[in-house]
Amino acid sequence: MSEANTTEEGGTTASKQDTVTLPARPRSRTDLLRSGFGRNLGLVVALVVLCLVGVATAGDTFATGANVLTILRLAAVVGVVSVGMTFVITGGGIDLSVGAMVALASVWATTLATQQLAVDYGWIFMVSTALVVGAACGLVNGLLVAYGKIVPFVATLAMLASARGLAEIISDRRTQIITVNSFADFFGGSLIGVPVLIWIFLLVAAAGWVVLNRTTFGRRTFAVGGNAEAARLAGIEVQRHTVALYVLAGLCCGIAAVMLMARTTTGSSTHGQLYELDAIAAVVIGGTLLSGGRGTIVGTVFGVLIFTTLNNVFTLNNLSISAQSVAKGAIIVVAVLLQQRLARRSTSS
Amino acid sequence: MSRSSVRTVVIAGLGVLALAACTSNTPKSEDKAAPAEQAAVKNDEPGKKVKIGFSAPAADHGWMGAITKATQAEAKKYSDVELIVAEGTNDVNLQISQVETFINQKVDAIVLLPFDGAALTPVATKAMQAGITVVNVDREFDSSFAARTTVLGDNHGMGVSAGTYVCQQLKDKKDAVVAEIAGIDSLPLTQDRSKGFKEALADCGLKVSNRVAAKFTVESGEEAATNLLQAAPKIDAIWNHDDDQGVGVMAAIKNSGRKEFFVVGGAGSANVMRDIKSGNSLLKATVIYPSTQGADGVRLARLLVQKKALGDLVEVEVPRTVQLYAPVVTKDNVDQYLPTAFES
């Protein structure tokens, strides 16, 4: 736990503001680091090294605008899910059901009935269906965890199974093709030369950063994740806050579902496979503490970018499929070690 | 692999081709026939360099692993083909970005076995619009603008072949008990296989008495077969859709100690064919679902980019769709199919 409060962008604020609520956390070392920069430095180094490798090995293709957009488009979907995941993990929980929620939202938003509504009244119906379905699943997760007192791992594991099952029932395990052209045109298009999907990722990440670091909601999230009992004693309605965190994660899954629908022009019960692992890996690499109380959106975004850039460099260099997986595991370990080393150095300086 | 060993393989391949070229021209008696034969041979001669991108789902079972292996092996045979293989994935988002990367790399052709045909259609269409030849393998896109050529197996045909074989073996027994162990039941390919099997059996007055479904994995095959053997005290024939899950199916049968039936496999793995060849297994036959579809895709992509015709057809363009046959492999003809069988 002493490792928990060495540094991080918002956590420092939390412990300053809610000093009474966090008696369990010694504050001696937190003041030494004023920003999350030191912690993120490791990630920046890792990403820069990756990019240098990319430029060195496949420079003519790697360092092009089109390739950068390809990396960002890939990062966008998992990135939005990971932002939601950051909130849940920072708040001391975990959500294993994100991939399944993406699948369910994509299926529900592309049923014939929803698509008919979208044809009649605009694509906003498909988007809002996806968002509502995602948020509703998150609500169920939150209620089970906060009021049902089910361990988050188990509650969301149940959602993982049942949401994908429900998606299969609704779609009859068929891939549902989107025929609403206005939807595909808007989300598949670009604004000021940048694809809409990347704009959405940027907006979600920016909104996530503001909420986590600059609002009461964010400070409460750190407090609840750091020590729920202390947070309760300080007057935070822990249960209600926990529910809100899971709803937020579900909402992000709804957004990701819309993005995936745009990318594939389909809704399917097989969408979002293993996104829970991708998202958790990105969040943890980013420097968010898996046991809660410390979280960083900037780190998460870097985590996602590292994974997607890695993948891109591998594909460009035509590396063997199995070697890619081994290298991925190795890079996860190296990135986390590097980041710990740098953080320790900046705390002790 | 080192470049020199690749070169050795290529040179060896060319040597074989040169020999083939000599021998295949022997029946050159009429002058008219000669150009056609030369044209067929010419296809393998190195031409313009072709850069091909290949992407397929995760190799989570033997057949899918074999697809990628066979594709890479085929590409190595050609000195003018450079194959770029993207990581196998079941995440459509990632597979789409792989195709986008291929487009950025300005490959000449993309051979794509999509995790979900419909979901990969937009990006494949984008590749075609960028002037890249797309060859669709195994799982079809839902738009004909998304690929120049499609290579398919024959799932319905597998069922028909298996059913016809079972009919031949059981033609005298009117009340024969036929059981079926299907793959993942919700997939259209499983439904097609079962439909073909049912139709072929109906042709000789038989029907599927017991049907269970597994999930293409060894464990699921063992579980489904154990349940089936519990449910049916006497069976005459079993068709198992998939030789990967078949490893589990045969284990369950061995544990039960039952021997009153014969088993027909599916997909055509090398170990099943070796069992058939040995003759002392309950496995008497298997129907092939070629694991060389990706390899065929690479060959067709190369021909398309080099603007060559498919050698043995009169038509000067490569066909739009190539559907591969699902033959029955028995002890009599197993040697013909063993070389292209996959190791599961």
Side-chain angles (χ1 to χ4, degrees), chain B residues 1-17 73 75-79:
Chain B
M1 290 304 284
S2 70
R3 186 159 280 180
S4 64
S5 71
V6 172
R7 200 171 296 151
T8 321
V9 170
V10 168
I11 291 170
L14 286 175
V16 171
L17 289 179
K76 279 198 185 130
K77 290 182 191 165
Y78 291 96
S79 57

Side-chain angles (χ1 to χ4, degrees), chain A residues 250-311:
Chain A
L251 191 65
C252 285
C253 290
I255 298 171
V258 172
M259 297 163 81
L260 204 51
M261 280 153 55
R263 225 158 125 67
T264 63
T265 66
T266 60
S268 165
S269 58
T270 61
H271 280 355
Q273 293 218 15
L274 299 182
Y275 278 16
E276 52 279 2
L277 296 188
D278 289 347
I280 292 171
V283 168
V284 170
I285 273 199
T288 296
L289 197 68
L290 205 50
S291 52
R294 188 179 79 199
T296 150
I297 298 287
V298 178
T300 297
V301 170
F302 271 113
V304 173
L305 288 179
I306 285 173
F307 275 121
T308 44
T309 310
L310 192 66
N311 204 290

Side-chain angles (χ1 to χ4, degrees), chain A residues 315-340:
Chain A
T315 307
L316 286 176
N317 283 302
N318 196 14
L319 288 178
S320 121
I321 290 160
S322 313
Q324 292 185 21
S325 308
V326 176
K328 237 177 225 178
I331 288 173
I332 291 178
V333 174
V334 170
V336 171
L337 283 179
L338 189 71
Q339 180 198 315
Q340 280 178 356

